[in-house]
Structure formats: C-alpha cells, structure tokens
Amino acid sequence: MTQSQQYHYVSVGYNKFLIDKRYGNLRPIGDGSYGFVASAIDSVTGRKVAIKKVTDTFADVVDAKRILRELKLLRHMKRHENIICLYDIM
C-alpha cells in the first residue's frame, strides 16, 4: 500500500472488503463461483463501479488460470459498449 492511499474495511452481506476510501455506498450485486460482487460509488469520479472480491485465487490451478484469463480479457476490451471496463486491481 502506498502512503497516499487510505483503505478501510466495509462489510457487505457476509463478505468483508478492504477497499480504498474513495469507494463508498457498497451494495451487494451477487456472488458466483469465483467471487462476490458489490456496487459502489467512486467519490473522486462520481462513477458507479462494481467491485469483485475473489477468494482463494490460487487454491486450484484451473480456477487461477480462468480468473487470470478474465482479467486479461477485461483489460484488453477497454472501449466496447457492452463490456465493463477494468479500472483497478488490488
């Protein structure tokens, strides 16, 4: 963590997120086989964002490869109107 960033814990549903203080008003969206997703508001940009918490990322090699593939695809498809944009990875 850099000194310029400040983090705090926020409980959403049964999950606890450690996130940058710029994100607030977290609400659950859903969960799946790879993690839990919450919506939040970025206080710096005013944008509504989704935050995904993936647990046990490296517990299974096949799952780890799938998660990495998802991140790479999201990073690659930045400007498509029907695909979400990846802003940050923590």
Side-chain angles (χ1 to χ4, degrees), residues 41-74:
I41 302 295
D42 184 343
S43 63
V44 174
T45 64
R47 282 189 292 224
K48 187 173 185 180
V49 298
I51 300 174
K52 184 174 189 177
K53 179 178 181 179
V54 180
T55 56
D56 299 328
T57 307
F58 302 107
D60 181 58
V61 175
V62 174
D63 287 343
K65 287 181 181 180
R66 288 179 181 154
I67 293 165
L68 178 61
R69 187 179 305 121
E70 177 184 345
L71 290 172
K72 289 171 89 174
L73 285 169
L74 285 173

Side-chain angles (χ1 to χ4, degrees), residues 10-55:
V10 179
S11 294
V12 181
Y14 58 88
N15 286 282
K16 193 179 235 186
F17 285 78
L18 176 62
I19 58 172
D20 194 307
K21 287 196 174 196
R22 70 188 283 172
Y23 302 110
N25 197 24
L26 268 74
R27 300 187 186 281
I29 293 177
D31 58 44
S33 56
Y34 296 120
F36 184 82
V37 181
S39 68
I41 302 295
D42 184 343
S43 63
V44 174
T45 64
R47 282 189 292 224
K48 187 173 185 180
V49 298
I51 300 174
K52 184 174 189 177
K53 179 178 181 179
V54 180
T55 56

